[in-house]
Amino acid sequence: MNILIFGATGMVGQGVLRECLLAPDVARVVAVGRRATGQQHPKLQDLVIPDMSDYSGVEPQLQGFDACFFCLGVSSVGMNEADYKRITYDLTMAAATVLARLNPGMTFTYVTGAGTDSSERGSRMWARVKGATENALLRLPFKAAYMFRPGMIQPLHGVRSKTPLYQAAIMVLKPVLGLAHRLWPDRVTTTEKVGRAMLAVARHGAPKVLLDPADINALGR
């Protein structure tokens, strides 16, 4: 498989990239972002795009892919709805619309979050925006699209969050995250299982398009 990863320098993206590079059936990985991953691997190529809303100059480099793992995102903390929508909805759809046109046989996987509001009418701003993004993605003419809704994620294999607050919380919770993952597999997953689950849906699909932590863990095994 040839795979695109958006957000490969974030916590989830780092884990997904690791699993892609380890997978024997993945021939090529292109990491798309505003900056390079800083990693060297025979399978890996960085595609640095300063303006993530405009892909007109790189369309030839975005063709010929079997799957896209879209792990790009920001926290809504301290953001108003317009700014959060611009990053979460607008930037995602700018990329996805181009990819659906260039790669009609592509499987597109998007990382949202537990509690995302598919009705787009709830009281939580982030959940409405994520829900609108999911719904718009599912209307695009991809071969298949899956929405990953992880809850708490345990980072493994040296993966770190770029958000200082999240990383601090992870360090504090590190002694109990592993136990929580074993005790509540329907609420807690790992970066490793998210990556493996994405590869699983790219290979074989999944029985439903909205995947919660329990689904992700089952696919990631």
Side-chain angles (χ1 to χ4, degrees), residues 55 70 91-101 108 137 140 142:
Y55 298 90
F70 201 95
L91 291 186
T92 302
M93 295 309 298
T97 303
V98 171
L99 293 176
R101 173 168 53 82
F108 189 95
L137 289 170
L140 290 176
F142 287 112

Side-chain angles (χ1 to χ4, degrees), residues 81 115-136 138-139 149 210:
E81 185 162 352
T116 293
D117 178 16
S118 296
S119 76
E120 306 179 31
R121 296 191 297 269
S123 60
R124 293 172 300 170
M125 178 272 285
W126 75 265
R128 291 196 307 271
V129 175
K130 286 285 194 181
T133 308
E134 285 187 350
N135 292 337
L138 290 170
R139 289 192 291 267
R149 293 179 168 185
L210 303 180

Side-chain angles (χ1 to χ4, degrees), residues 7 12-13 21 27 54 94 101 116 126 157 171 200 202:
V12 174
L21 296 179
D54 181 9
R101 173 168 53 82
T116 293
W126 75 265
H157 310 297
M171 294 305 295

Side-chain angles (χ1 to χ4, degrees), residues 201-217:
V201 299
R203 294 179 183 118
H204 311 299
K208 57 184 181 178
V209 298
L210 303 180
L211 302 169
D212 60 26
D215 300 317
I216 293 167
N217 288 336

Side-chain angles (χ1 to χ4, degrees):
M1 294 185 291
N2 295 326
I3 293 176
L4 281 171
I5 302 179
F6 284 71
T9 61
M11 187 183 81
V12 174
Q14 290 173 52
V16 172
L17 175 59
R18 178 184 184 273
E19 298 309 312
C20 288
L21 296 179
L22 289 172
D25 61 344
V26 173
R28 179 176 175 232
V29 180
V30 174
V32 183
R34 290 190 181 91
R35 61 187 179 90
T37 61
Q39 297 191 41
Q40 300 293 323
H41 192 282
K43 294 182 183 181
L44 177 62
Q45 174 190 348
D46 285 299
L47 179 57
V48 177
I49 303 177
D51 182 359
M52 298 289 286
S53 66
D54 181 9
Y55 298 90
S56 57
V58 294
E59 286 196 4
Q61 295 163 265
L62 297 174
Q63 297 183 51
F65 289 90
D66 303 290
C68 175
F69 301 151
F70 201 95
C71 309
L72 187 66
V74 296
S75 168
S76 64
V77 175
M79 299 187 71
N80 61 45
E81 185 162 352
D83 288 341
Y84 185 68
K85 178 178 179 295
R86 179 178 56 81
I87 296 172
T88 301
Y89 181 93
D90 294 349
L91 291 186
T92 302
M93 295 309 298
T97 303
V98 171
L99 293 176
R101 173 168 53 82
L102 298 177
N103 303 277
M106 171 179 279
T107 296
F108 189 95
T109 301
Y110 178 62
V111 179
T112 64
T116 293
D117 178 16
S118 296
S119 76
E120 306 179 31
R121 296 191 297 269
S123 60
R124 293 172 300 170
M125 178 272 285
W126 75 265
R128 291 196 307 271
V129 175
K130 286 285 194 181
T133 308
E134 285 187 350
N135 292 337
L137 289 170
L138 290 170
R139 289 192 291 267
L140 290 176
F142 287 112
K143 171 189 167 184
Y146 298 95
M147 308 295 114
F148 272 44
R149 293 179 168 185
M152 186 178 292
I153 301 175
Q154 178 190 8
L156 299 178
H157 310 297
V159 168
R160 295 175 60 86
S161 173
K162 293 192 300 182
T163 305
L165 180 62
Y166 285 3
Q167 183 58 34
I170 288 167
M171 294 305 295
V172 171
L173 295 171
K174 188 174 181 179
V176 299
L177 277 174
L179 177 62
H181 176 51
R182 291 191 293 273
L183 293 177
W184 299 294
D186 58 338
R187 297 183 182 180
V188 184
T189 187
T190 69
T191 51
E192 180 182 82
K193 284 188 176 174
V194 171
R196 292 181 178 180
M198 286 191 179
L199 288 166
V201 299
R203 294 179 183 118
H204 311 299
K208 57 184 181 178
V209 298
L210 303 180
L211 302 169
D212 60 26
D215 300 317
I216 293 167
N217 288 336
L219 288 163
R221 294 190 190 102

